[in-house]
Amino acid sequence: ETSVKSEETSTKRASPSYTPFNLQPPCVPEVLKELLEPVKPKQTKVEKISKAEAPKPSATPSLDAHFIRDTIPDGAKLQPEERFTQVWTLRNPGPHDWPAGCSVRYVGGDNMLNVNHIHPSSVTDIADATESNVVGRPVAEGEEIAFRVLMKAPKREGKAISYWRLKTADGIPFGHRLWCDIDVAAAQVDAPATVSTPAIEPKRTALPTVEHIEFFRPAPS
């Protein structure tokens, strides 16, 4: 019995003891770790390009307008702060109709707006001065429309150019660019001409000389 117990004791001592604290996880290669990690969703280049380059829907079709004539020719001479009416006649070359609400509007250049520059103007006055008459109906292909703007020449003398553009009701410009080119110069007042009158000399009557005096003698009785 003693020998059997000693063998059991020796076998117990020789066999390693395992506890939950000394258990080591199995060695996992780095390649397997990367494969076992959860994959994060990534945006593909196709998605980014499709979002960035997505074409925006155009609410207004391609419109066009051709300049035909105007009433104030380039280089017209006007006096400072002189009021005048500029009329631009434009034609719709097609292929689309102009929508209702088109008008010519001020876009820049010299200020030729018909407003009081000394006293502040109301918002309504400024809006009226920066826009022509509004066409309240669609304009068909081939039709011509006259756009009128009441303007005022600048106070300073010299060349002045004001730029305008045909726009839709929602402010989309189209067609030929428009302008008003004038030459501002004050009217020269001529001085009254002085008429030189020749001096009138008094007439001098020549006295008769002795040779011209006739002596009248009484006739003999």
Side-chain angles (χ1 to χ4, degrees), residues 28-35:
V28 181
E30 295 295 330
V31 177
L32 294 177
K33 284 184 180 180
E34 293 179 359
L35 294 175

Side-chain angles (χ1 to χ4, degrees), residues 60-75:
T60 306
S62 177
L63 302 175
D64 199 4
H66 288 180
F67 169 81
I68 302 301
R69 58 185 173 273
D70 56 4
T71 56
I72 304 298
D74 292 348

Side-chain angles (χ1 to χ4, degrees), residues 78-185:
L78 298 171
Q79 296 184 15
E81 297 187 324
E82 180 181 351
R83 286 179 173 83
F84 61 97
T85 300
Q86 172 68 295
V87 181
W88 289 286
T89 302
L90 306 178
R91 175 185 296 155
N92 180 8
H96 302 287
D97 293 352
W98 297 349
C102 291
S103 62
V104 171
R105 304 181 193 178
Y106 173 70
V107 295
D110 292 307
N111 186 355
M112 297 186 193
L113 304 180
N114 183 32
V115 294
N116 192 334
H117 300 290
I118 299 175
H119 302 287
S121 300
S122 64
V123 177
T124 306
D125 293 341
I126 296 176
D128 293 341
T130 56
E131 186 177 14
S132 71
N133 54 301
V134 180
V135 182
R137 59 174 179 82
V139 179
E141 179 181 356
E143 191 174 356
E144 294 184 1
I145 299 294
F147 296 92
R148 296 175 176 82
V149 180
L150 180 61
M151 307 174 72
K152 184 169 68 172
K155 188 175 182 179
R156 65 169 181 82
E157 296 186 23
K159 191 177 186 63
I161 303 178
S162 181
Y163 297 99
W164 299 70
R165 196 76 187 274
L166 180 62
K167 293 186 178 183
T168 60
D170 50 358
I172 299 177
F174 65 95
H176 288 171
R177 300 176 185 273
L178 308 173
W179 62 82
C180 183
D181 183 350
I182 62 174
D183 188 9
V184 183

